[in-house]
């Protein structure tokens, strides 16, 4: 039995789907009669739920569900073509699988996440994928991480969450899981360093660090 669990965030940690997200955002906003936001405004909120992201760019509450559905419809068309695995991500997953049981915790929908992971040939390494539709409260609430960890039973004592945003760190801490950060995503390294945790340039270095913890 592998004695460690590693939970991974998805966007900014394992994959770069920025082009697909930004294009889908623009299409949804335009179709709903809203001005297309600056790309940076979208990018800086990746990791939050779609509902919160649209609220932050001025979408009215009564339009949220419709615009999210519009986004998802377009995203499904372009997600595979306009998403890439981040550098060293596949190697990190394969390395982590050697000594740990693996899961994904994301604010993407679990179904879309599984499709992408399968497309890139790495879904087989993960025992569980917890997405937005699987929980009532998304990150930074601890529920998604608690749900993921519970899939592995109660005998494993060391559990880690690798992510690129403050949402990942806050959620991990609230769930009493060890947070490890990567600066390959959407939060600047200096901001992550202020959280008093280990911060690495990419996910393979984070996995290597975890492998050495006794």
């Amino acid at each position: 039995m592998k004695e460690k669990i590693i939970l991974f965030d998805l966007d900014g940690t394992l994959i770069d789907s920025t082009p697909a997200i930004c294009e889908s955002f623009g299409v949804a906003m335009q179709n709903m009669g809203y001005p297309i936001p600056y790309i940076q405004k979208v990018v800086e909120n990746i990791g939050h739920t779609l509902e919160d992201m649209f609220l932050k760019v001025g979408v009215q509450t009564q339009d949220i569900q419709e615009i999210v559905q519009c986004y998802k419809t377009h995203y499904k068309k372009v997600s595979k073509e306009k998403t890439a695995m981040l550098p060293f991500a596949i190697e990190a997953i394969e390395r982590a699988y050697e000594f740990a049981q693996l899961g994904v915790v994301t604010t993407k929908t679990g179904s879309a996440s599984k499709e992408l992971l399968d497309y890139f040939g790495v879904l087989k390494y993960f025992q569980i994928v917890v997405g937005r539709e699987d929980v009532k409260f998304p990150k930074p609430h601890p529920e998604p991480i608690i749900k993921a960890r519970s899939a592995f039973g109660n005998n494993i004592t060391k559990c880690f969450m690798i992510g690129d945003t403050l949402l990942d760190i806050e959620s991990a801490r609230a769930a009493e899981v060890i947070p490890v950060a990567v600066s390959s995503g959407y939060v600047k390294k200096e901001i992550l360093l202020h959280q008093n945790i280990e911060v690495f340039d990419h996910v393979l270095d984070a996995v290597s660090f975890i492998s050495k913890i006794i």
Side-chain angles (χ1 to χ4, degrees):
M1 173 67 71
K2 298 172 182 176
E3 296 182 351
K4 294 176 182 176
I5 299 169
I6 301 179
L7 305 175
F8 295 88
D9 174 52
L10 203 51
D11 285 297
T13 301
L14 293 178
I15 66 172
D16 179 10
S17 57
T18 307
I21 291 171
C22 290
E23 180 178 313
S24 301
F25 233 84
V27 168
M29 294 287 282
Q30 189 172 41
N31 286 353
M32 291 288 293
Y34 285 95
I36 297 175
Y38 290 111
I39 288 177
Q40 185 56 38
K41 185 66 175 177
V42 177
V43 170
E44 68 188 20
N45 286 301
I46 293 176
H48 292 262
T49 65
L50 287 172
E51 290 84 354
D52 284 344
M53 289 177 71
F54 279 112
L55 286 171
K56 288 175 185 291
V57 296
V59 175
Q60 297 299 306
T61 302
Q62 64 268 21
D63 293 332
I64 289 296
Q65 293 307 313
E66 186 176 353
I67 203 167
V68 165
Q69 189 55 53
C70 184
Y71 168 97
K72 288 180 178 179
T73 298
H74 188 78
Y75 182 81
K76 187 174 180 64
K77 297 176 183 176
V78 301
S79 60
K80 295 183 179 71
E81 176 190 353
K82 299 196 173 183
T83 298
M85 296 293 291
L86 283 166
F88 309 109
I90 292 178
E91 295 93 328
I93 294 166
E94 293 172 343
R95 173 72 183 99
Y97 188 73
E98 294 174 1
F99 66 89
Q101 298 186 74
L102 311 183
V104 168
V105 180
T106 176
T107 51
K108 268 185 172 7
T109 61
S111 57
S113 301
K114 290 174 184 176
E115 282 188 20
L116 285 171
L117 291 167
D118 187 49
Y119 176 74
F120 289 110
V122 294
L123 180 61
K124 61 188 177 184
Y125 294 107
F126 298 100
Q127 187 166 324
I128 188 168
V129 176
V130 175
R132 178 64 186 92
E133 75 273 37
D134 300 313
V135 295
K136 182 176 181 181
F137 301 107
K139 294 182 289 187
H141 195 279
E143 182 189 354
I145 292 180
I146 292 171
K147 185 178 181 71
R149 182 174 182 172
S150 68
F152 299 94
N154 299 316
N155 297 324
I156 300 174
T157 56
K158 293 185 176 66
C159 184
F160 303 84
M161 175 71 199
I162 304 177
D164 68 300
T165 71
L166 301 181
L167 300 176
D168 300 309
I169 297 168
E170 185 177 341
S171 181
R173 282 176 167 157
E176 299 184 342
V177 163
I178 301 167
V180 178
V182 289
S183 58
S184 54
Y186 302 103
V187 176
K188 292 181 179 179
K189 189 172 186 176
E190 54 265 32
I191 295 175
L192 296 171
L193 287 169
H194 286 158
Q195 296 300 306
N196 195 30
I197 63 172
E198 297 291 339
V199 181
F200 299 93
D201 290 337
H202 53 75
V203 69
L204 181 56
D205 280 351
V207 167
S208 296
F209 166 76
I210 293 171
S211 72
K212 297 170 186 174
I213 295 177
I214 298 175

